[in-house]
Amino acid sequence: VPMGVLSCMKYLMFIFNVLVFAGGTCLVGVGVWVVVDPAGFQDIVAARAVLNAGAWLLLAVGIALSLLGFLGCCGALRRSRPLLLL
């Protein structure tokens, strides 16, 4: 495989993982917003019973995505197969 293709793949994996990390960080931000100020978010979403469980779910999924995105970025830059497989 030519070296240029591997370099391009490395940067594409890095960009993809940065997007996953950014999405996870946004989910964490929304989750924290809902946990800290549920009244402000309740104007947008009418379902009150689901709001608390949804906030913690957003936090959990956001943290998981942020962690996976960060490890993926490290794996792409270092060409570490275990980090990319994680």
Side-chain angles (χ1 to χ4, degrees):
V1 179
M3 190 61 166
V5 173
L6 290 178
S7 179
C8 181
M9 289 279 294
K10 178 174 112 172
Y11 290 115
L12 285 175
M13 287 294 294
F14 178 77
I15 290 170
F16 174 75
N17 283 301
V18 165
L19 292 175
V20 170
F21 177 76
T25 305
C26 289
L27 285 179
V28 169
V30 171
V32 168
W33 175 38
V34 173
V35 168
V36 171
D37 184 26
F41 193 77
Q42 204 167 6
D43 297 338
I44 300 170
V45 179
R48 184 182 189 124
V50 181
L51 190 61
N52 194 24
W56 292 106
L57 182 66
L58 278 176
L59 278 171
V61 170
I63 289 170
L65 282 176
S66 295
L67 182 64
L68 288 175
F70 178 75
L71 291 176
C73 286
C74 291
L77 289 178
R78 296 178 185 211
R79 293 184 183 165
S80 171
R81 186 180 172 113
L83 283 177
L84 286 173
L85 289 175
L86 211 109

